[in-house]
Amino acid sequence: MLKAHSLSDITGALKNMIGFAPPKHYSGRFGSWKKAVFHQDVHNAITELNLYRTPDLAVMDASVGLADFHLGGPTCKPPVERIIAGVDPLQVDRAAAGFLNLDWRTIGHLNRALNRKTRSKTVK
């Protein structure tokens, strides 16, 4: 679902990769919800996870959208009334940011993801 996020600015295909591995693979001093280890540097965590594995297909329900906060708050006015989908999750998330009136270039993981993937391909 199209949502703004308090830590990562936007919840999308790339951010939702947090949690793709079972919790036993996470470490830290964060109680029973060990995925919270990613919150310290969430944009870097999202980038690093997606350098390892990105979704093959991203489908986002943007029929309404949460404009300010991922756990509630006001919906987008007017409603977005879209489904955003594609095989490039970075482009799906960048499009989603636009529907939230956010500039993807100011969102850490959406700005650096392409640069890091390009850099890693040229190093090989």
Side-chain angles (χ1 to χ4, degrees):
M1 181 175 169
L2 176 67
K3 296 186 272 188
H5 194 275
S6 59
L7 297 174
S8 61
D9 301 305
I10 183 174
T11 291
L14 298 177
K15 187 243 171 231
N16 284 340
M17 291 302 285
I18 291 180
F20 79 88
K24 69 180 182 179
H25 295 283
Y26 307 124
S27 63
R29 304 174 304 279
F30 299 97
S32 62
W33 196 75
K34 297 184 183 296
K35 289 180 260 183
V37 71
F38 295 115
H39 289 174
Q40 291 182 4
D41 188 3
V42 71
H43 292 286
N44 189 55
I46 293 168
T47 302
E48 293 294 325
L49 286 168
N50 282 277
L51 285 171
Y52 177 73
R53 178 73 168 102
T54 57
D56 296 316
L57 174 68
V59 179
M60 184 182 300
D61 176 358
S63 55
V64 177
L66 293 176
D68 293 328
F69 184 58
H70 63 286
L71 297 175
T75 58
C76 294
K77 301 287 186 218
V80 178
E81 298 181 339
R82 300 278 192 278
I83 299 293
I84 308 168
V87 295
D88 183 340
L90 177 60
Q91 294 305 320
V92 168
D93 285 1
R94 286 177 174 176
F99 285 116
L100 291 170
N101 294 317
L102 300 171
D103 181 351
W104 65 263
R105 291 174 290 258
T106 66
I107 300 172
H109 67 279
L110 298 184
N111 187 15
R112 67 179 115 162
L114 182 62
N115 295 334
R116 293 182 103 172
K117 282 186 177 186
T118 302
R119 200 172 351 147
S120 66
K121 286 181 182 176
T122 58
V123 172
K124 290 181 180 181

